[in-house]
PDB file of all heavy atoms in Angstrom:
ATOM      1  N   ILE A  81       5.742  -2.120  13.316  1.00  0.00           N
ATOM      2  CA  ILE A  81       4.790  -1.112  13.495  1.00  0.00           C
ATOM      3  C   ILE A  81       3.442  -1.605  12.865  1.00  0.00           C
ATOM      4  O   ILE A  81       3.441  -1.872  11.631  1.00  0.00           O
ATOM      5  CB  ILE A  81       5.137   0.242  12.896  1.00  0.00           C
ATOM      6  CG1 ILE A  81       6.424   0.795  13.576  1.00  0.00           C
ATOM      7  CG2 ILE A  81       4.058   1.242  12.978  1.00  0.00           C
ATOM      8  CD1 ILE A  81       6.978   2.051  12.986  1.00  0.00           C
ATOM      9  N   GLU A  82       2.384  -1.718  13.609  1.00  0.00           N
ATOM     10  CA  GLU A  82       1.070  -2.148  13.122  1.00  0.00           C
ATOM     11  C   GLU A  82       0.270  -0.875  12.817  1.00  0.00           C
ATOM     12  O   GLU A  82      -0.134  -0.206  13.841  1.00  0.00           O
ATOM     13  CB  GLU A  82       0.371  -3.052  14.077  1.00  0.00           C
ATOM     14  CG  GLU A  82       1.102  -4.377  14.267  1.00  0.00           C
ATOM     15  CD  GLU A  82       0.429  -5.289  15.225  1.00  0.00           C
ATOM     16  OE1 GLU A  82       0.044  -4.769  16.332  1.00  0.00           O
ATOM     17  OE2 GLU A  82       0.281  -6.464  14.923  1.00  0.00           O
ATOM     18  N   GLU A  83       0.129  -0.550  11.570  1.00  0.00           N
ATOM     19  CA  GLU A  83      -0.641   0.630  11.224  1.00  0.00           C
ATOM     20  C   GLU A  83      -1.560   0.470  10.029  1.00  0.00           C
ATOM     21  O   GLU A  83      -1.013   0.340   8.919  1.00  0.00           O
ATOM     22  CB  GLU A  83       0.392   1.836  10.894  1.00  0.00           C
ATOM     23  CG  GLU A  83      -0.324   3.151  10.557  1.00  0.00           C
ATOM     24  CD  GLU A  83      -1.411   3.516  11.475  1.00  0.00           C
ATOM     25  OE1 GLU A  83      -1.142   3.788  12.715  1.00  0.00           O
ATOM     26  OE2 GLU A  83      -2.632   3.500  11.056  1.00  0.00           O
ATOM     27  N   PRO A  84      -2.784   0.307  10.226  1.00  0.00           N
ATOM     28  CA  PRO A  84      -3.746  -0.030   9.120  1.00  0.00           C
ATOM     29  C   PRO A  84      -4.072   1.134   8.192  1.00  0.00           C
ATOM     30  O   PRO A  84      -4.417   0.948   7.032  1.00  0.00           O
ATOM     31  CB  PRO A  84      -4.968  -0.598   9.829  1.00  0.00           C
ATOM     32  CG  PRO A  84      -4.953   0.091  11.119  1.00  0.00           C
ATOM     33  CD  PRO A  84      -3.497   0.269  11.509  1.00  0.00           C
ATOM     34  N   ARG A  85      -3.979   2.290   8.661  1.00  0.00           N
ATOM     35  CA  ARG A  85      -4.460   3.493   7.824  1.00  0.00           C
ATOM     36  C   ARG A  85      -3.516   4.624   7.705  1.00  0.00           C
ATOM     37  O   ARG A  85      -3.331   5.141   6.555  1.00  0.00           O
ATOM     38  CB  ARG A  85      -5.792   4.054   8.450  1.00  0.00           C
ATOM     39  CG  ARG A  85      -6.914   3.024   8.295  1.00  0.00           C
ATOM     40  CD  ARG A  85      -8.197   3.520   8.980  1.00  0.00           C
ATOM     41  NE  ARG A  85      -8.688   4.831   8.489  1.00  0.00           N
ATOM     42  CZ  ARG A  85      -9.734   5.509   8.925  1.00  0.00           C
ATOM     43  NH1 ARG A  85     -10.411   4.973   9.927  1.00  0.00           N
ATOM     44  NH2 ARG A  85     -10.037   6.632   8.408  1.00  0.00           N
ATOM     45  N   ASN A  86      -2.871   5.131   8.772  1.00  0.00           N
ATOM     46  CA  ASN A  86      -2.173   6.317   8.732  1.00  0.00           C
ATOM     47  C   ASN A  86      -0.664   6.166   8.337  1.00  0.00           C
ATOM     48  O   ASN A  86       0.275   6.481   9.023  1.00  0.00           O
ATOM     49  CB  ASN A  86      -2.178   6.968  10.116  1.00  0.00           C
ATOM     50  CG  ASN A  86      -3.566   7.261  10.528  1.00  0.00           C
ATOM     51  OD1 ASN A  86      -4.409   7.793   9.784  1.00  0.00           O
ATOM     52  ND2 ASN A  86      -3.876   7.034  11.787  1.00  0.00           N
ATOM     53  N   ILE A  87      -0.535   5.728   7.032  1.00  0.00           N
ATOM     54  CA  ILE A  87       0.797   5.507   6.500  1.00  0.00           C
ATOM     55  C   ILE A  87       1.579   6.810   6.260  1.00  0.00           C
ATOM     56  O   ILE A  87       2.804   6.855   6.507  1.00  0.00           O
ATOM     57  CB  ILE A  87       0.743   4.668   5.207  1.00  0.00           C
ATOM     58  CG1 ILE A  87       0.000   3.364   5.497  1.00  0.00           C
ATOM     59  CG2 ILE A  87       2.079   4.480   4.612  1.00  0.00           C
ATOM     60  CD1 ILE A  87       0.584   2.509   6.539  1.00  0.00           C
ATOM     61  N   ARG A  88       0.878   7.839   5.790  1.00  0.00           N
ATOM     62  CA  ARG A  88       1.536   9.111   5.591  1.00  0.00           C
ATOM     63  C   ARG A  88       2.185   9.614   6.848  1.00  0.00           C
ATOM     64  O   ARG A  88       3.341   9.989   6.945  1.00  0.00           O
ATOM     65  CB  ARG A  88       0.537  10.112   5.070  1.00  0.00           C
ATOM     66  CG  ARG A  88       1.007  11.492   4.858  1.00  0.00           C
ATOM     67  CD  ARG A  88      -0.078  12.386   4.338  1.00  0.00           C
ATOM     68  NE  ARG A  88      -1.297  12.217   5.172  1.00  0.00           N
ATOM     69  CZ  ARG A  88      -2.552  12.678   4.749  1.00  0.00           C
ATOM     70  NH1 ARG A  88      -2.643  13.303   3.499  1.00  0.00           N
ATOM     71  NH2 ARG A  88      -3.573  12.528   5.441  1.00  0.00           N
ATOM     72  N   GLU A  89       1.393   9.598   7.931  1.00  0.00           N
ATOM     73  CA  GLU A  89       1.888  10.078   9.268  1.00  0.00           C
ATOM     74  C   GLU A  89       3.039   9.163   9.721  1.00  0.00           C
ATOM     75  O   GLU A  89       4.021   9.657  10.378  1.00  0.00           O
ATOM     76  CB  GLU A  89       0.735  10.140  10.210  1.00  0.00           C
ATOM     77  CG  GLU A  89      -0.249  11.203   9.968  1.00  0.00           C
ATOM     78  CD  GLU A  89      -1.244  10.790   8.812  1.00  0.00           C
ATOM     79  OE1 GLU A  89      -1.152   9.630   8.376  1.00  0.00           O
ATOM     80  OE2 GLU A  89      -2.004  11.657   8.332  1.00  0.00           O
ATOM     81  N   THR A  90       2.925   7.905   9.532  1.00  0.00           N
ATOM     82  CA  THR A  90       3.981   6.960  10.002  1.00  0.00           C
ATOM     83  C   THR A  90       5.290   7.236   9.262  1.00  0.00           C
ATOM     84  O   THR A  90       6.319   7.211   9.925  1.00  0.00           O
ATOM     85  CB  THR A  90       3.522   5.502   9.784  1.00  0.00           C
ATOM     86  OG1 THR A  90       2.300   5.327  10.504  1.00  0.00           O
ATOM     87  CG2 THR A  90       4.567   4.570  10.283  1.00  0.00           C
ATOM     88  N   LEU A  91       5.216   7.371   7.946  1.00  0.00           N
ATOM     89  CA  LEU A  91       6.460   7.670   7.284  1.00  0.00           C
ATOM     90  C   LEU A  91       7.127   9.039   7.695  1.00  0.00           C
ATOM     91  O   LEU A  91       8.361   9.146   7.709  1.00  0.00           O
ATOM     92  CB  LEU A  91       6.189   7.797   5.724  1.00  0.00           C
ATOM     93  CG  LEU A  91       5.793   6.478   5.051  1.00  0.00           C
ATOM     94  CD1 LEU A  91       5.632   6.703   3.529  1.00  0.00           C
ATOM     95  CD2 LEU A  91       6.859   5.366   5.297  1.00  0.00           C
ATOM     96  N   LEU A  92       6.247   9.999   8.015  1.00  0.00           N
ATOM     97  CA  LEU A  92       6.840  11.238   8.550  1.00  0.00           C
ATOM     98  C   LEU A  92       7.526  11.068   9.852  1.00  0.00           C
ATOM     99  O   LEU A  92       8.593  11.619  10.113  1.00  0.00           O
ATOM    100  CB  LEU A  92       5.726  12.312   8.658  1.00  0.00           C
ATOM    101  CG  LEU A  92       5.164  12.908   7.400  1.00  0.00           C
ATOM    102  CD1 LEU A  92       3.932  13.706   7.654  1.00  0.00           C
ATOM    103  CD2 LEU A  92       6.286  13.816   6.741  1.00  0.00           C
ATOM    104  N   GLU A  93       6.972  10.194  10.723  1.00  0.00           N
ATOM    105  CA  GLU A  93       7.630   9.899  12.013  1.00  0.00           C
ATOM    106  C   GLU A  93       8.933   9.194  11.812  1.00  0.00           C
ATOM    107  O   GLU A  93       9.843   9.292  12.658  1.00  0.00           O
ATOM    108  CB  GLU A  93       6.659   9.102  12.825  1.00  0.00           C
ATOM    109  CG  GLU A  93       5.411   9.863  13.336  1.00  0.00           C
ATOM    110  CD  GLU A  93       4.413   8.906  14.014  1.00  0.00           C
ATOM    111  OE1 GLU A  93       4.795   7.756  14.207  1.00  0.00           O
ATOM    112  OE2 GLU A  93       3.422   9.448  14.454  1.00  0.00           O
ATOM    113  N   LEU A  94       9.083   8.465  10.766  1.00  0.00           N
ATOM    114  CA  LEU A  94      10.269   7.620  10.492  1.00  0.00           C
ATOM    115  C   LEU A  94      11.236   8.291   9.539  1.00  0.00           C
ATOM    116  O   LEU A  94      12.212   7.609   9.065  1.00  0.00           O
ATOM    117  CB  LEU A  94       9.872   6.246   9.923  1.00  0.00           C
ATOM    118  CG  LEU A  94       8.966   5.394  10.864  1.00  0.00           C
ATOM    119  CD1 LEU A  94       8.485   4.155  10.126  1.00  0.00           C
ATOM    120  CD2 LEU A  94       9.658   5.024  12.147  1.00  0.00           C
ATOM    121  N   LYS A  95      10.993   9.506   9.118  1.00  0.00           N
ATOM    122  CA  LYS A  95      11.691  10.125   7.991  1.00  0.00           C
ATOM    123  C   LYS A  95      13.220  10.216   8.229  1.00  0.00           C
ATOM    124  O   LYS A  95      13.999  10.313   7.222  1.00  0.00           O
ATOM    125  CB  LYS A  95      11.141  11.497   7.687  1.00  0.00           C
ATOM    126  CG  LYS A  95      11.296  12.527   8.800  1.00  0.00           C
ATOM    127  CD  LYS A  95      10.594  13.869   8.318  1.00  0.00           C
ATOM    128  CE  LYS A  95      10.691  14.885   9.467  1.00  0.00           C
ATOM    129  NZ  LYS A  95      12.087  15.297   9.750  1.00  0.00           N
ATOM    130  N   ASP A  96      13.720  10.230   9.455  1.00  0.00           N
ATOM    131  CA  ASP A  96      15.076  10.362   9.695  1.00  0.00           C
ATOM    132  C   ASP A  96      15.843   9.061  10.170  1.00  0.00           C
ATOM    133  O   ASP A  96      17.001   9.094  10.543  1.00  0.00           O
ATOM    134  CB  ASP A  96      15.357  11.491  10.814  1.00  0.00           C
ATOM    135  CG  ASP A  96      14.912  12.835  10.327  1.00  0.00           C
ATOM    136  OD1 ASP A  96      15.108  13.138   9.140  1.00  0.00           O
ATOM    137  OD2 ASP A  96      14.266  13.612  11.138  1.00  0.00           O
TER     138      ASP A  96
END
Side-chain angles (χ1 to χ4, degrees):
I81 296 177
E82 295 178 316
E83 180 48 66
R85 291 177 58 182
N86 299 317
I87 301 305
R88 174 179 51 192
E89 292 76 9
T90 302
L91 291 183
L92 284 171
E93 292 174 1
L94 301 172
K95 63 183 178 66
D96 296 321

